Amino acid sequence: MDIKQLEVFVTVAKYKSFSKAARELFLTQPTVSSHIQNLENEMQCVLLNRNSKSITLTDSGKVLYNHAIIILNDCKKAIYDIKEYSGKIEGSLNLVCSSIPEAFIIPNFLEKFCKKYPNITLTIDHCDSNLVVPEILSERVTFGIVGSKKKHPHIKYSEFVHDELVLICPKSIELPNENGYIDIHKLKDLSFIMRKDGSGTRNVIVKALNSSPVPLSQLTTRANVESNSAVIEMVKKGIGCSFVSFISIEEMAKRGEINAYRIKDYSFERNFYFIHSRKKIFTPTEKKFLEFFVDYYDIRDEEEDKVINSND
């Protein structure tokens, strides 16, 4: 058994695919298959079920997978410790975000992190809030940032940024208001551009409106779109109105490019959460990122401290 075989085995298990593992590791698919076959021959057992559309672990494969993760992490830690001793901290990690954190929250943090750790490479992917948790649980990514919270026994949520949604309208639509607040019944007179199902923004809108006298079903929806940026551009073009994160349009509103309103007597507030698996064994690079993140956003949580300290 060698380290490369274990790395290939873990990657195939992670993606449940020989072809995806090959792309991840920059190997040919026959090479990946050969590594797995040699490992199974050495272990004298079948490690992967190949009979279904996706690859799954056998019972023996599950046992080896748990050991392989520890072995690979120990190897990474050894390399990390040596480089840290020589004054060069490097490595790679991945992060997945929903649209608002990706564009308006994380860049400021990454500016500081990358200055302190210039040799750590980050891969940042985007997907809707509802899809971030499956990515974390599958260990395709280590950390996630989302705008809505769904309880899961294996996911740790840490609240770190507060936000609110505001109603935005084209410059041509000025609504009667009191210090920027409008009556909720005015929403019935507007046409809306909504985020698609799965986004944290839509979840907040649906929850707030459905507990009000004007549920979402009573609004005129002109379009459902994928991204926050697309929503804003369509509003600016006069196609309709929408609810968006205040931090994404604050400067536009100040410049008078759009009109922004809040709803009288109703809250459209939310939090953003930093998430990771409770079962994840962090590599040294991942642990360094977690420590920096917790310190940067002043996340003081006993459970989070326990997670960090348990990896010492």
Side-chain angles (χ1 to χ4, degrees):
M1 183 194 316
D2 62 32
I3 296 300
K4 192 62 180 180
Q5 289 176 346
L6 291 180
E7 183 183 13
V8 170
F9 169 68
V10 166
T11 307
V12 171
K14 177 180 177 180
Y15 288 103
K16 297 181 174 60
S17 167
F18 281 82
S19 59
K20 290 180 180 178
R23 288 196 295 271
E24 173 76 11
L25 298 171
F26 300 101
L27 299 173
T28 64
Q29 190 167 335
T31 300
V32 170
S33 298
S34 177
H35 277 304
I36 296 299
Q37 185 175 353
N38 291 337
L39 184 59
E40 289 181 325
N41 289 339
E42 185 174 349
M43 301 301 294
Q44 297 184 350
C45 65
V46 177
L47 300 171
L48 299 169
N49 293 311
R50 301 167 174 83
N51 298 325
S52 59
K53 291 183 179 180
S54 63
I55 305 298
T56 59
L57 292 170
T58 64
D59 289 342
S60 297
K62 292 176 183 178
V63 173
L64 179 61
Y65 181 84
N66 291 331
H67 286 287
I69 291 293
I70 294 172
I71 292 169
L72 292 175
N73 281 340
D74 282 346
C75 290
K76 291 178 182 177
K77 188 176 188 308
I79 295 171
Y80 180 92
D81 287 346
I82 291 170
K83 290 182 176 179
E84 185 177 36
Y85 179 77
S86 63
K88 187 177 182 181
I89 298 176
E90 61 182 24
S92 61
L93 55 86
N94 43 32
L95 176 72
V96 63
C97 302
S98 53
S99 59
I100 299 301
E102 180 185 36
F104 300 100
I105 297 176
I106 289 304
N108 289 334
F109 162 78
L110 292 180
E111 177 189 11
K112 303 294 190 301
F113 181 81
C114 291
K115 282 182 179 179
K116 185 168 183 178
Y117 302 107
N119 296 308
I120 292 180
T121 303
L122 297 102
T123 298
I124 303 172
D125 295 317
H126 165 77
C127 68
D128 285 341
S129 293
N130 287 0
L131 300 177
V132 174
V133 169
E135 291 292 296
I136 297 288
L137 293 174
S138 68
E139 296 195 6
R140 285 189 287 270
V141 296
T142 305
F143 302 112
I145 297 175
V146 295
S148 60
K149 183 177 182 180
K150 289 190 174 181
K151 290 185 178 181
H152 192 287
H154 299 315
I155 293 293
K156 166 63 182 174
Y157 286 84
S158 294
E159 175 186 320
F160 74 101
V161 170
H162 180 73
D163 184 34
E164 67 171 327
L165 303 183
V166 294
L167 174 70
I168 60 170
C169 301
K171 289 193 298 182
S172 59
I173 297 179
E174 293 189 15
L175 302 176
N177 68 90
E178 296 179 9
N179 297 319
Y181 286 83
I182 68 166
D183 186 274
I184 196 167
H185 291 91
K186 291 292 182 181
L187 299 180
K188 295 180 181 180
D189 302 327
L190 306 173
S191 294
F192 280 87
I193 301 157
M194 299 294 292
R195 291 289 300 277
K196 286 186 176 180
D197 287 338
S199 78
T201 297
R202 186 182 179 93
N203 293 342
V204 174
I205 295 169
V206 170
K207 183 178 179 180
L209 290 179
N210 286 352
S211 62
S212 78
V214 186
L216 183 63
S217 60
Q218 292 187 16
L219 300 186
T220 300
T221 300
R222 180 167 289 174
N224 292 286
V225 300
E226 192 75 38
S227 74
N228 185 75
S229 297
V231 168
I232 294 171
E233 288 303 311
M234 292 173 75
V235 170
K236 289 169 67 176
K237 296 295 184 183
I239 298 172
C241 303
S242 190
F243 285 96
V244 299
S245 172
F246 178 68
I247 61 176
S248 71
I249 56 86
E250 183 175 6
E251 295 304 316
M252 293 181 197
K254 288 179 180 179
R255 294 191 297 265
E257 297 176 20
I258 53 176
N259 293 323
Y261 304 97
R262 293 175 172 84
I263 310 302
K264 185 179 179 180
D265 298 327
Y266 289 92
S267 173
F268 287 76
E269 296 182 342
R270 66 169 172 182
N271 295 306
F272 284 105
Y273 300 92
F274 178 69
I275 70 173
H276 58 73
S277 171
R278 297 178 186 272
K279 301 170 67 177
K280 169 73 175 176
I281 299 175
F282 296 116
T283 66
T285 302
E286 291 165 346
K287 181 185 172 186
K288 188 67 68 175
F289 181 88
L290 177 59
E291 291 173 340
F292 196 92
F293 195 96
V294 168
D295 184 63
Y296 182 86
Y297 286 105
D298 195 26
I299 300 173
R300 295 300 173 231
D301 183 291
E302 293 182 2
E303 185 175 353
E304 192 69 66
D305 292 338
K306 183 178 179 181
V307 170
I308 295 174
N309 294 331
S310 67
N311 285 273
D312 288 340

